[in-house]
Amino acid sequence: MKVLLDEMMAKEMADLLVGHDVAHVVDLGWRHISNGKLLTMAETSGFQAFITKDGNIPYQQNLAGRVIGLLILRPKTQDVLDLLGMVPEILLALSQLNPGDVLRVPTEPRATAEYT
């Protein structure tokens, strides 16, 4: 899968996403581009997944009809080691990502009822 890492993602992650063709926004010269334009450029360039920590994208952008899938990462902290430690979960999510999907990693816990 062709994957684009957002500019706030650690570049080291590209080497850890084994089996995927990964590029970083900075390396492509696409820094400081608005999310809507960035998603369009990524799709035009054949990217199938966009990995970001920006959880607001689904609320700011109309994602209907998009062919790129979004992975929104929610690391425990902003420490790069916490981010890189998410690689196994990211690889699993990429294997499940379809065009137009928005997946959050880790997945949101499901609400459970407590009975006493």
Side-chain angles (χ1 to χ4, degrees):
M1 178 178 286
K2 193 170 178 183
V3 178
L4 180 62
L5 298 176
D6 201 3
E7 64 185 274
M8 296 304 292
M9 302 302 298
K11 285 186 175 188
E12 298 89 347
M13 185 172 287
D15 293 332
L16 300 176
L17 297 177
V18 178
H20 298 281
D21 179 13
V22 184
H24 197 281
V25 165
V26 173
D27 293 334
L28 297 174
W30 293 357
R31 288 186 76 171
H32 308 300
I33 295 174
S34 67
N35 287 331
K37 185 174 180 180
L38 182 61
L39 291 173
T40 299
M41 291 170 62
E43 287 176 323
T44 302
S45 298
F47 286 97
Q48 299 158 295
F50 181 58
I51 301 178
T52 184
K53 292 189 287 182
D54 186 349
N56 292 321
I57 291 177
Y59 308 107
Q60 297 169 343
Q61 302 297 318
N62 180 1
L63 300 175
R66 289 277 184 192
V67 296
I68 194 168
L70 271 63
L71 283 187
I72 299 173
L73 305 186
R74 299 175 309 169
K76 292 177 185 174
T77 70
Q78 295 304 311
D79 186 279
V80 69
L81 294 178
D82 281 335
L83 186 64
L84 296 177
M86 297 177 71
V87 167
E89 293 172 281
I90 294 167
L91 289 169
L92 178 62
L94 284 172
S95 73
Q96 300 169 349
L97 189 68
N98 294 308
D101 281 353
V102 176
L103 300 179
R104 288 171 174 78
V105 178
T107 57
E108 295 177 305
R110 296 178 188 253
T112 57
E114 284 189 37
Y115 297 98
T116 56

